[in-house]
Amino acid sequence: MPNRLTDALDFQAQALSLRSDRQRLIASNIANADTPGYVARDMNFADALRDATGGGAAAGRMTTTSTGHLALNSGTDADSTLKYAAASQTNLDRNTVDMDRERASFADNALKYEATLRFINNSVKTMVSAITGQ
Amino acid sequence: MSMLKIFDVSGSAVSAQSQRLNVVASNLANVDTVAGPDGQAYKARQVTFQTQLMGASGAAGVTVSNISEDQTPGRRVHDPNHPQADADGYVTYSNVNAVEEMVNMISASRSYQNNIEVMNTAKSLLQKTLQLGQS
């Protein structure tokens, strides 16, 4: 019974953790905007969330289909949804950080992080009001 | 809490950019220097940035890998009465290009501001996370 009470929270908690991972990735890109040779990275959020919540393997991901296969460890799992960004304009120092794109992604991700926080807050409020019955 | 790593990442970028700003300041200060501490004309310095991995996957900070000196010959001005003039009456000034340095300064200060803003956003998000389920 307690499981069913917090099932809805689990999904949002996974989303929140992935959002903070993506926020860190974008912060790294912005920090390395002037580093020669740096290649920007980003996350395919939909795939990463599907992976994290066990909603079926994402396209192009490795799965074990036989008992003879080596098990995937969770460390490489998280990296499989990370992608490298292509340069939007060619750069002499081979840096592929597009500051406009990164700033937009950063703002977008911050907003969605807050939205997830609000979802969790409201679920908690709903549960508390159901428990207290007032 | 992977978001706390943002402060490490952006903090390293801010300190790298401030070092770059420092180098620009010393270049601009020495734009008209005739002789440096070694008796030679001042040579413009430039920082080189390098990515620094910070443990967790995807977290990449910045570090200054080295500070190099520009080896192009300095500006030569004919002024025989100058105490530093050579046998032909030429004085060698520093090879600092003031326009280049100004552009470098603007770029460094914009990057600095960007990283500060990233830290501010991360801070406000973390504060809201700490208040989760309270209100």
Side-chain angles (χ1 to χ4, degrees), chain A residues 17 20-21 23-25 27-28 30-32 34-36 38 79 99 103 106 110 113-114 117 120-121 124-125, chain B residues 2-3 5-6 9 13 17 20 49 51 57-62 111 114-115 117-118 121 125 128-129 132-133 135:
Chain A
S17 152
S20 74
D21 278 352
Q23 197 79 350
R24 196 191 57 211
L25 269 181
S28 302
I30 293 177
N32 282 287
D34 294 325
T35 310
Y38 180 82
D79 284 346
M99 196 45 103
R103 287 299 297 267
F106 193 79
Y113 184 92
E114 276 193 48
L117 276 181
I120 296 177
N121 252 332
V124 170
K125 248 186 246 171
Chain B
S2 60
M3 199 104 98
K5 263 278 188 292
I6 289 182
V9 169
Q17 294 294 349
R20 179 179 172 200
F49 288 159
T51 305
S57 71
V62 194
S111 298
N114 259 334
N115 283 295
E117 235 169 279
V118 166
T121 307
L125 286 180
K128 281 171 186 151
T129 313
L132 194 64
S135 55

Side-chain angles (χ1 to χ4, degrees), chain B residues 63-92:
Chain B
T63 172
V64 174
S65 61
N66 80 312
I67 298 177
S68 51
E69 285 187 348
D70 187 356
Q71 294 301 334
T72 55
R75 186 161 48 95
R76 276 161 66 83
V77 175
H78 185 67
D79 184 4
N81 295 325
H82 198 283
Q84 293 281 339
D86 61 6
D88 299 328
Y90 281 96
V91 183
T92 309

Side-chain angles (χ1 to χ4, degrees), chain A residues 70-115:
Chain A
L70 293 172
L72 294 162
N73 64 38
S74 55
T76 54
D77 255 21
D79 284 346
S80 66
T81 50
L82 292 189
K83 304 268 192 292
Y84 290 100
S88 56
Q89 293 172 42
T90 35
N91 226 338
L92 208 57
D93 63 359
R94 300 190 316 284
N95 185 308
T96 70
V97 177
D98 178 357
M99 196 45 103
D100 300 327
R101 185 178 61 204
E102 300 301 337
R103 287 299 297 267
S105 308
F106 193 79
D108 167 72
N109 201 56
L111 195 72
K112 284 173 179 164
Y113 184 92
E114 276 193 48

